[in-house]
Amino acid sequence: CDKIITQLEKNPYVYNQLLGDEQAHFLLRSTCTQLPARPLNTRLSLFQRLWSYLSQHDQLNASHYITWLHVLQHNRAPCADFKKFLDEFNKLNVNNEYALTDIYAELLETACGAGDMQQATALLAEMRSHDLPLTMRHFNALLWGHSRNHDLAGCRSVLDNMNAAGITPSAETHSLMVCAYLENDDNAKATEVLSQFHGQFNDSQVVRMLSSLLHVKAPHNEELIKQLVRELPKDFTVGTEVPIPLRHLCVELLHNG
């Protein structure tokens, strides 16, 4: 990644020879999601360098901006100024491609993933001004936010509000609560939720729950890890190759866990 970006920075006219649009977008995603052995600052630095290049040469489109938010979410990093993001995004004139509800949901997930509840509150206020209803996705994002702030009471309050709004918690919601309990050193509650909803989680939810181990300061509970691994769907681990998401998690645990 560094070599390619360096070549682009030195000679901006080799863009089409080196990458092209599709490959550049792939590289943009990869810098922050496919380098599990590298620390966060290194990953974000590569991303920012490539983003700067693409911006200077008018190569950015709406998909790149969504990727930007996904990269921040993957790395639990904040969006420094969501209003600036919206201004830049709206200049692309893509209202038909990306609904306003989706953009605000992505921004809310980014803010909550970084534990920035002040920004989350500002986003919710803007959503109200646009008469956008709260959905399961928004409530799930708020669970993330309270968890990041070590506020389990806040998480339970979100669940209460979901029920009051007539929204039944999903497997996604339950997996987020397992993450919340794990990252806040409540293994007993995490085990309880896992047992209650055994067999209902998909592979990405289980991998995310396992990824919470990266953010647990206390010694890992081996039995709880085994319980999590047993939740992986059988078709996810068929064959002799370790699935890439699980491989990345193992590498990250080795280097940064």
Side-chain angles (χ1 to χ4, degrees):
C1 288
D2 180 71
K3 287 180 179 179
I4 293 173
I5 296 171
T6 299
Q7 287 188 58
L8 290 171
E9 290 170 338
K10 289 181 177 179
N11 184 0
Y13 302 105
V14 300
Y15 174 76
N16 289 323
Q17 299 172 23
L18 281 178
L19 292 175
D21 294 340
E22 186 176 341
Q23 292 87 346
H25 197 178
F26 169 78
L27 184 61
L28 195 67
R29 290 194 303 269
S30 299
T31 53
C32 277
T33 61
Q34 305 295 320
L35 301 174
R38 297 291 177 262
L40 173 62
N41 289 341
T42 300
R43 296 195 295 245
L44 288 179
S45 175
L46 289 169
F47 178 87
Q48 288 161 356
R49 286 170 59 197
L50 184 54
W51 182 275
S52 177
Y53 171 87
L54 295 173
S55 176
Q56 289 171 16
H57 298 278
D58 297 321
Q59 299 292 337
L60 294 174
N61 58 38
S63 296
H64 292 97
Y65 279 84
I66 301 302
T67 293
W68 180 9
L69 292 181
H70 290 171
V71 159
L72 293 176
Q73 292 164 22
H74 181 85
N75 292 280
R76 302 191 179 199
C79 177
D81 187 340
F82 78 86
K83 291 188 176 181
K84 181 181 178 182
F85 176 94
L86 283 171
D87 286 342
E88 292 183 15
F89 186 85
N90 288 331
K91 290 177 184 176
L92 300 171
N93 296 318
V94 290
N95 291 334
N96 292 333
E97 186 177 356
Y98 294 98
L100 193 61
T101 52
D102 293 332
I103 298 305
Y104 275 104
E106 293 283 3
L107 283 165
L108 186 65
E109 287 169 349
T110 304
C112 290
D116 189 345
M117 296 309 289
Q118 183 175 354
Q119 187 176 104
T121 300
L123 282 162
L124 290 171
E126 287 222 4
M127 287 173 59
R128 282 194 293 271
S129 71
H130 291 291
D131 294 323
L132 299 176
L134 286 181
T135 66
M136 170 84 71
R137 187 175 177 184
H138 301 121
F139 281 112
N140 285 344
L142 292 171
L143 284 177
W144 263 135
H146 287 292
S147 174
R148 294 289 182 275
N149 284 280
H150 307 292
D151 180 12
L152 288 178
C155 290
R156 287 186 281 269
S157 178
V158 171
L159 291 175
D160 291 339
N161 289 332
M162 287 178 72
N163 289 322
I167 298 175
T168 303
S170 63
E172 179 79 0
T173 307
H174 300 313
S175 71
L176 290 172
M177 283 306 300
V178 172
C179 292
Y181 288 130
L182 283 172
E183 294 179 24
N184 288 279
D185 299 322
D186 194 338
N187 290 340
K189 278 288 185 182
T191 300
E192 180 182 325
V193 176
L194 278 173
S195 299
Q196 185 177 357
F197 300 101
H198 170 66
Q200 298 184 25
F201 304 110
N202 62 35
D203 55 284
S204 62
Q205 290 163 351
V206 178
V207 170
R208 181 175 56 210
M209 289 187 280
L210 285 165
S211 296
S212 290
L213 299 173
L214 285 161
H215 307 279
V216 176
K217 295 180 179 179
H220 293 156
N221 183 316
E222 187 174 333
E223 287 305 313
L224 181 53
I225 294 172
K226 289 179 180 179
Q227 187 177 1
L228 281 166
V229 171
R230 285 194 292 269
E231 289 295 330
L232 287 169
K234 290 183 179 180
D235 59 354
F236 182 69
T237 52
V238 168
T240 56
E241 290 291 327
V242 177
I244 288 177
L246 202 55
R247 192 183 312 167
H248 283 179
L249 173 59
C250 291
V251 171
E252 194 162 7
L253 282 167
L254 178 65
H255 287 271
N256 304 308

